[in-house]
Amino acid sequence: MFCLFYLQAKEALENGEVPVGCLMVYRNEILGQGRNEVNETKNATRHAEMVAIDQVLKWCHEKGRDRKEVFEHTVLYVTVEPCIMCAAALRLLNIPLVVYGCQNERFGGCGSVLNISQDDLQHTGTPFQCLGGYRAEEAVELLKTFYKAENPNAPKSKARKKQ
């Protein structure tokens, strides 16, 4: 069941997105799944984790469940270490555990750049545990495939001409 988040990452890659996929699992039930949708939606906040969080919130609303209680018992499985923005959101939601594939050396919020998951940050939710390295090689290969191709959504280079 938990390898499904790698399928989400592959779908993201096929759709011209940075290949990140995730699942949010509450008591062995998948309540949310997501893939990056940044390029597709032209919205920089539509990371896989945010897409999945929205699905969990919708589930809570539809089922009349307390979202605080649900998130406190939900585990996130994600192909790449959550970025600083996503790590902050996960902390505010009191997610207890994040299992990720490879590190995010440029934007990681679980120790690679900042340690949002564990730092002493007042009034920002509960620190959460992170377990990295789950199928990391596969996550790295997906990222390499994406970055080898030219991103059609990237801004055009503004190289200066020599005078």
Side-chain angles (χ1 to χ4, degrees), residues 74-88:
T74 297
V75 176
L76 171 70
Y77 295 87
V78 62
T79 55
V80 178
E81 172 188 1
C83 71
I84 294 164
M85 173 186 72
C86 291

Side-chain angles (χ1 to χ4, degrees), residues 4 8 22-24 30-35 48 51-53 55-56:
L4 293 173
Q8 290 289 324
C22 72
L23 295 177
M24 297 195 92
I30 298 171
L31 298 188
Q33 57 185 323
R35 65 169 179 82
V51 172
I53 287 168
Q55 290 177 7
V56 175

Side-chain angles (χ1 to χ4, degrees), residues 157-163:
S157 176
K158 296 180 181 177
R160 292 184 178 184
K161 294 181 181 180
K162 292 184 179 181
Q163 294 178 351

Side-chain angles (χ1 to χ4, degrees), residues 22-46:
C22 72
L23 295 177
M24 297 195 92
V25 180
Y26 170 71
R27 301 193 171 162
N28 295 318
E29 181 181 352
I30 298 171
L31 298 188
Q33 57 185 323
R35 65 169 179 82
N36 277 2
E37 297 177 357
V38 171
N39 294 332
E40 180 181 334
T41 62
K42 306 288 190 247
N43 180 339
T45 68
R46 300 313 295 159

Side-chain angles (χ1 to χ4, degrees), residues 13 23-24 54 72:
L13 179 63
L23 295 177
M24 297 195 92
D54 284 348
E72 287 175 349

Side-chain angles (χ1 to χ4, degrees), residues 89-108:
L90 296 167
R91 184 169 170 139
L92 287 168
L93 292 168
N94 297 313
I95 295 287
L97 175 64
V98 172
V99 177
Y100 65 86
C102 66
Q103 291 182 310
N104 183 344
E105 297 291 338
R106 293 182 66 200
F107 307 110

Side-chain angles (χ1 to χ4, degrees), residues 13 19 138-150:
L13 179 63
E138 187 174 350
V140 168
E141 287 306 313
L142 288 170
L143 291 168
K144 283 181 180 178
T145 300
F146 176 79
Y147 286 111
K148 280 180 190 172
E150 187 172 322

